[in-house]
Amino acid sequence: MTSAAARTPLAGRLDALVIDGRVDAGRAVLTPRGELVHGCAGTLAGTLAELPADIRRVEVDMTGVTFMDTAGLQFLELLDDYSRYHRTPVRAVRWNEQPRRILELAGLDPTDPLSSAVLAPRPAASSVVVLERAQQLQLLQEEVQQLRHAIASRPVIDQARGILMATHACTSDEAWTILREASQLSNTKLRTVAAAVTASTGTDPSPPPAELRGALRTAIARRRHDPPGRP
């Protein structure tokens, strides 16, 4: 079998999903690596389509999956559809901590979410439980968005820290404190502060706005234990 892969809109910053597989005596073992996010179901569909017709059992080893958002539930639905259509047992096991949290909030057994006990019909949940689960999933979705934003912001923040370290002979931790305090003093997002610092250097420098420039000077002066300079 060949590996299948899919890129996310944040390719290069998040880990693209890759699925390797092997077949041995009617048993297929799939080993996904990366993240179960948007597009993961399409990657899995391509892998399942390559499985031989005489497969009698499928095991999906999730050890290599480091991150999962609610789109990962589509991954499980596709495995379940394959199992039902081909009348073939499918197991998805060895989940890591963060994906397990998603499974638990979705009401699935993290040891094997495709087990017959989980897929069997169950009494309808009360409206309170349904509402609580929907709120929990919403919080998880917000947490995922915050994480993606942090990943996207990291390069410009690291660059700004390097500029401050070189310009003001400070440590990495001190540069981080300067950025954070300037953000608080000017009521400006940290990434915006970092972008302004990086824009102030280079071949075509652009100075930060006056308010942010003053906040940076105050934060730098505090690090030096000197009185704040004038903006």
Side-chain angles (χ1 to χ4, degrees):
M1 294 178 60
T2 58
S3 298
R7 293 279 172 183
T8 72
L10 291 177
R13 284 169 285 182
L14 300 181
D15 293 333
L17 181 67
V18 177
I19 303 178
D20 296 319
R22 70 177 189 274
V23 176
D24 181 19
R27 173 174 171 263
V29 178
L30 306 182
T31 53
R33 292 179 287 109
E35 301 179 349
L36 295 188
V37 292
H38 179 71
C40 63
T43 304
L44 176 62
T47 301
L48 294 176
E50 294 183 357
L51 292 179
D54 60 349
I55 289 295
R56 298 189 298 273
R57 179 183 175 190
V58 177
E59 181 170 321
V60 188
D61 186 343
M62 307 301 295
T63 305
V65 173
T66 57
F67 182 85
M68 169 180 169
D69 64 14
T70 51
L73 300 178
Q74 299 174 3
F75 186 93
L76 291 173
E77 290 174 359
L78 190 57
L79 287 174
D80 187 38
D81 289 344
Y82 178 91
S83 176
R84 294 176 185 275
Y85 181 80
H86 293 276
R87 299 181 182 277
T88 302
V90 178
R91 299 182 68 228
V93 296
R94 303 183 184 90
W95 294 82
N96 286 312
E97 182 177 353
Q98 191 277 337
R100 288 173 66 93
R101 183 181 176 191
I102 301 291
L103 296 175
E104 290 170 351
L105 287 174
L108 300 175
D109 181 356
T111 61
D112 181 12
L114 296 173
S115 64
S116 57
V118 171
L119 297 177
R122 292 176 294 176
S126 69
S127 58
V128 174
V129 172
V130 171
L131 178 59
E132 180 181 358
R133 185 171 298 167
Q135 291 173 338
Q136 290 173 326
L137 288 176
Q138 177 64 31
L139 290 175
L140 277 172
Q141 290 172 338
E142 293 174 359
E143 180 179 318
V144 168
Q145 289 302 112
Q146 291 172 359
L147 178 58
R148 287 181 174 176
H149 181 73
I151 292 172
S153 301
R154 182 64 182 268
V156 70
I157 292 175
D158 285 346
Q159 186 177 357
R161 290 170 74 176
I163 292 170
L164 291 173
M165 290 167 64
T167 305
H168 301 284
C170 60
T171 66
S172 177
D173 288 343
E174 288 172 337
W176 168 256
T177 301
I178 290 170
L179 291 173
R180 181 170 54 79
E181 289 188 356
S183 171
Q184 295 171 348
L185 289 169
S186 61
N187 194 25
T188 305
K189 290 183 178 180
L190 181 63
R191 186 181 187 281
T192 302
V193 175
V197 171
T198 58
S200 66
T201 62
T203 57
D204 187 19
S206 174
E211 182 180 2
L212 181 53
R213 189 164 61 249
L216 283 166
R217 288 180 178 176
T218 300
I220 292 168
R222 287 179 178 176
R223 291 305 95 201
R224 293 175 174 173
H225 304 287
D226 291 334
R230 294 177 61 186

